[in-house]
Amino acid sequence: YGFDSLKLYKNYFLGVRTNGSNPVWRSIYKVTKDGKVKELAIGRSPVVSGNSIYYVAEKVQKYGDSKTLGIYKMDMDGGHKKQVKKADNNYMGIAQVRLCGGKVLVQINGEAVSKIYMIDLDGKHKKLLKEFILVG
């Protein structure tokens, strides 16, 4: 598969590629302008803040889609991975992550309800901003 969620930085871009068919997982890659490709992490939704990449970490399952582990951060070369916030146990997983100044906005979806939280970059001080019912 090709890359999606492309983010362009200095001399490279970050992209997410979906792998497999059963199981299915996503990987975050760094691609330099000379064409070198490096897998940084298993996950999705990478965003850069300073010298760190924040992303939704996943674990490959035996069958089906990968399991969401939570929000992690790593350095620009994929090292020093650290969990910032674990996914809520009552919810299926993290749908989106966005940076807003010095805060992280996180949307977590359940079977019928979605919540949007604002979290400090270090994972502390979580505040619920909005809870709404999913239609479908």
Side-chain angles (χ1 to χ4, degrees):
Y1 300 111
F3 290 106
D4 45 328
S5 301
L6 296 176
K7 308 247 189 296
L8 183 61
Y9 298 99
K10 300 179 184 176
N11 295 326
Y12 61 92
F13 72 82
L14 295 177
V16 177
R17 182 181 286 163
T18 301
N19 304 292
S21 58
N22 192 14
V24 176
W25 73 96
R26 287 157 290 277
S27 294
I28 300 169
Y29 292 89
K30 180 178 181 179
V31 181
T32 61
K33 68 179 183 177
D34 62 0
K36 292 181 183 173
V37 178
K38 179 181 180 184
E39 183 181 35
L40 300 180
I42 295 174
R44 57 188 160 81
S45 301
V47 290
V48 174
S49 178
N51 292 323
S52 296
I53 300 170
Y54 291 81
Y55 65 103
V56 177
E58 298 179 342
K59 180 179 179 183
V60 179
Q61 300 294 301
K62 253 185 165 174
Y63 303 102
D65 207 9
S66 57
K67 178 181 178 185
T68 300
L69 298 176
I71 300 170
Y72 279 62
K73 77 175 189 176
M74 63 182 160
D75 65 28
M76 300 305 282
D77 286 323
H80 300 96
K81 292 176 177 72
K82 179 182 176 190
Q83 186 180 62
V84 174
K85 199 70 178 170
K86 186 176 174 152
D88 190 331
N89 288 337
N90 297 325
Y91 285 79
M92 294 182 299
I94 298 168
Q96 299 184 64
V97 176
R98 298 288 185 264
L99 284 179
C100 184
K103 305 287 184 182
V104 180
L105 296 175
V106 181
Q107 178 181 344
I108 300 175
N109 290 343
E111 289 184 25
V113 178
S114 184
K115 294 181 180 181
I116 298 176
Y117 290 98
M118 183 170 59
I119 304 171
D120 291 345
L121 290 177
D122 61 4
K124 297 178 182 174
H125 304 104
K126 177 173 81 169
K127 179 180 180 182
L128 177 65
L129 297 179
K130 181 79 176 169
E131 183 174 343
F132 53 94
I133 296 172
L134 296 172
V135 178

